[in-house]
């Protein structure tokens, strides 16, 4: 599912590109003036997963290939973006295409780095971005509602249902404080997938804090805003992370210890994004290579087979599956078979997170 994308949004100078570089090690342009990013940067980011190391070690694999997700760093958003202010239209067009949103909120205070609103206030900024997104949606929705009303006049059931759905969506977006855990919100997100409704995109917040900030109190304030919306908040120090990303891993680790930095913060952002996309991981072992694959939760073995190779899907015979915990216990497919925990599954098997799978197929 390499085509799934997480869009990085936020006001100008929030540190979006800095965080993007830390995540993707892509070296995109960062500067202290607003609107540095005009064309979106796209990066493929490996998903850290300790299970891959463990399986590879047991299977004696030399090569390890992690699953990946795509992050897109978009232009900054300002008040009035929904009316085309700043890079409004460009911003909105690109964000409509992504599957989930990583909202970078600026909490670091640095006089030399301009703040478009004149002062640092994370909750105000989050609210501003949220409002612009909702305003853009309301305009988009009013057009869809007009069209649906005309269609519904024909009197068929499908058009009537669509109009009803659009009207409830319109009401939810108007009210604000959209809770992404709410069942109606989830249902509508499913129904309107691919129609570019921004307010329905699953979202997490990366709170970009300064090196010496009081993380706990900043996070607590942000959570007051994020909790009722079901949004996870992850504190990061984007600048330090970007600097660390340029060092060899051993040196980076040493620095992290010295600075007392949470080495997990970037990994947490990536994993949270991965979850936001509804992805799980299964593993394959082949010719000395252990590989993690991203798969939409609820997918079948046939679909999983097709990700590795179209031949696997076309000639699918069966899937030999060992659940992750069983694999750790048994150490390999042979032992798993002996222990009775190697499952032989057909096309319709729903792949579980952590499954180690060997596909049998006819050529
Ligand atoms: N002190 C500090 N500065 C940071 C941090 N993150 C980013 N910056 C600085 O803030 C400035 C803006 O960072 P960018 O990553 O370009 O911000 P952006 O959100 O991509 O900005 P636009 O592309 O203009 O919308 C740069 O000078 C960064 O070095 C941080 O965690 N701490
Ligand atoms: Mg940028």
């Amino acid at each position: 599912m390499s085509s799934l994308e997480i869009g990085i949004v936020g006001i100008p100078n929030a540190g979006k590109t800095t965080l993007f570089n830390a995540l993707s090690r892509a070296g995109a342009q960062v500067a202290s003036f607003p609107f540095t990013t005009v064309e979106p940067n796209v990066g493929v980011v490996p998903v850290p997963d300790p299970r891959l190391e463990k399986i590879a070690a047991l299977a004696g694999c030399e090569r390890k290939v992690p699953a990946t997700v795509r992050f897109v760093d978009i232009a900054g958003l300002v008040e009035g973006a929904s009316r085309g202010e700043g890079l409004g239209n460009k911003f909105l067009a690109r964000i409509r295409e992504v599957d989930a949103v990583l909202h970078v909120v600026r909490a670091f205070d640095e006089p030399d780095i301009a703040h478009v609103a004149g002062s640092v206030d994370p909750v105000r900024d989050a609210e501003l971005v949220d409002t612009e997104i909702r305003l853009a949606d309301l305009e988009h929705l009013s057009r869809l509602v007009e069209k649906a009303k005309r269609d519904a006049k024909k009197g068929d059931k499908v058009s009537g249902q669509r109009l009803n759905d659009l009207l409830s969506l319109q009401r939810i977006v108007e009210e604000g404080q959209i809770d992404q855990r709410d069942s109606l919100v989830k249902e509508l997100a499913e129904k309107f997938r691919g129609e570019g409704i921004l307010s329905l995109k699953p979202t997490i917040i990366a709170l970009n804090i300064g090196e010496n900030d009081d993380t706990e109190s900043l996070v607590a304030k942000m959570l007051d805003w994020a909790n009722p919306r079901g949004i996870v908040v992850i504190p990061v120090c984007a600048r330090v992370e970007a600097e660390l990303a340029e060092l060899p891993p051993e040196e980076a680790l040493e620095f992290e210890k010295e600075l007392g930095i949470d080495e997990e913060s970037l990994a947490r952002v990536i994993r949270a994004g991965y979850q936001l996309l509804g992805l799980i991981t299964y593993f394959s072992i082949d010719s000395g290579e252990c590989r993690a694959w991203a798969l939409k939760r609820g997918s079948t073995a046939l679909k999983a087979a097709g990700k590795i190779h179209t031949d696997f899907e076309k000639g699918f015979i069966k899937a030999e599956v060992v659940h992750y915990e069983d694999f750790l216990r048994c150490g390999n497919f042979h032992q798993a078979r002996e222990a009775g925990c190697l499952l032989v599954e057909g096309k319709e098997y729903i792949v579980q997170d952590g499954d180690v799978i060997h596909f049998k197929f006819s050529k």
Side-chain angles (χ1 to χ4, degrees):
M1 207 120 320
S2 55
S3 56
L4 288 185
E5 275 182 349
I6 301 169
I8 305 180
V9 311
I11 58 162
N13 270 356
K16 299 181 295 299
T17 304
T18 307
L19 183 59
F20 171 83
N21 283 339
L23 290 166
S24 66
R25 296 161 193 247
Q29 194 192 355
V30 167
S32 59
F33 47 83
F35 299 119
T36 307
T37 307
V38 178
E39 292 307 327
N41 304 306
V42 182
V44 175
V45 176
V47 180
D49 189 334
R51 295 175 301 182
L52 179 64
E53 314 292 327
K54 289 193 181 151
I55 295 169
L58 284 169
C61 291
E62 279 173 17
R63 288 188 310 281
K64 290 167 281 186
V65 185
T68 55
V69 274
R70 279 154 64 96
F71 282 85
V72 194
D73 169 34
I74 304 170
L77 177 146
V78 288
E79 194 169 356
S82 52
R83 301 188 306 273
E85 292 288 328
L87 295 166
N89 295 330
K90 201 162 194 149
F91 168 91
L92 292 167
R94 187 62 180 90
I95 192 189
R96 280 193 210 291
E97 297 167 14
V98 303
D99 304 284
V101 169
L102 170 60
H103 181 171
V104 178
V105 180
R106 174 169 170 177
F108 71 87
D109 200 353
E110 178 112 23
D112 291 347
I113 299 170
H115 193 300
V116 278
S119 64
V120 175
D121 185 341
V123 170
R124 177 205 56 207
D125 293 351
E127 186 67 35
L128 183 152
V129 169
D130 185 69
T131 304
E132 287 306 322
I133 280 177
R134 286 194 301 112
L135 287 172
D137 273 346
L138 285 175
E139 203 196 306
H140 183 49
L141 282 170
S142 69
R143 269 178 273 132
L144 294 181
V145 166
E146 284 316 308
K147 179 169 185 316
K149 277 184 179 158
R150 287 197 298 275
D151 291 346
K153 285 212 180 96
K154 291 179 213 145
D156 68 290
K157 220 169 148 192
V158 176
S159 313
Q161 182 60 47
R162 176 162 170 93
L163 179 60
N164 277 343
D165 289 337
L166 279 166
L167 291 173
S168 36
L169 181 54
Q170 205 173 29
R171 199 183 58 245
I172 289 172
V173 177
E174 248 161 25
E175 278 169 6
Q177 198 170 299
I178 302 168
D179 184 349
Q180 52 187 9
R181 295 159 299 190
D182 182 81
S183 55
L184 178 61
V185 172
K186 280 187 179 165
E187 189 188 317
L188 291 169
E190 199 54 51
K191 280 186 175 164
F192 288 95
R193 186 186 299 279
E195 293 201 51
I197 312 292
L198 308 168
S199 312
L200 291 175
K201 295 193 189 286
T203 299
I204 45 173
I205 286 179
L207 188 63
N208 191 8
I209 52 173
E211 284 93 325
N212 304 313
D213 286 347
D214 175 359
T215 310
E216 243 171 76
S217 80
L218 287 168
V219 170
K221 275 187 213 140
M222 196 69 247
L223 277 175
D224 282 345
W225 187 86
N227 273 343
R229 294 166 169 83
I231 296 177
V232 169
V233 175
I234 303 167
V236 289
C237 192
R239 183 141 85 177
V240 176
E241 294 294 348
E243 282 165 11
L244 288 171
E246 292 188 356
L247 297 175
E250 312 82 55
E251 267 180 55
L253 209 66
E254 228 160 81
F255 259 115
E256 278 167 348
K257 275 196 200 130
E258 248 170 61
L259 296 169
I261 295 226
D262 178 3
E263 58 185 281
E264 274 288 285
S265 70
L266 269 192
R268 223 177 288 145
V269 171
I270 301 169
R271 284 195 210 112
Y274 195 68
Q275 266 186 354
L276 215 53
L277 294 172
L279 296 173
I280 59 161
T281 306
Y282 68 95
F283 300 90
S284 65
I285 301 165
D286 186 32
S287 326
E289 180 179 284
C290 181
R291 185 156 176 176
W293 301 84
L295 187 71
K296 200 91 185 156
R297 186 179 293 283
S299 300
T300 60
L302 187 65
K303 180 104 193 181
K307 289 191 70 71
I308 300 181
H309 206 292
T310 45
D311 285 353
F312 279 23
E313 193 171 357
K314 274 191 228 142
F316 186 101
I317 298 172
K318 61 183 176 183
E320 294 180 337
V321 181
V322 182
H323 294 322
Y324 175 67
E325 294 299 333
D326 291 335
F327 196 87
L328 281 198
R329 224 162 14 87
C330 300
N332 58 46
F333 275 82
H334 178 71
Q335 292 292 338
R337 194 190 309 267
E338 298 284 300
C341 39
L342 183 138
L343 313 169
V344 178
E345 302 285 358
K347 289 179 182 173
E348 298 305 319
Y349 170 72
I350 302 295
V351 176
Q352 307 295 304
D353 186 39
D355 278 355
V356 186
I357 307 183
H358 181 69
F359 293 103
K360 298 269 186 198
F361 68 105
S362 60
K363 284 176 201 155

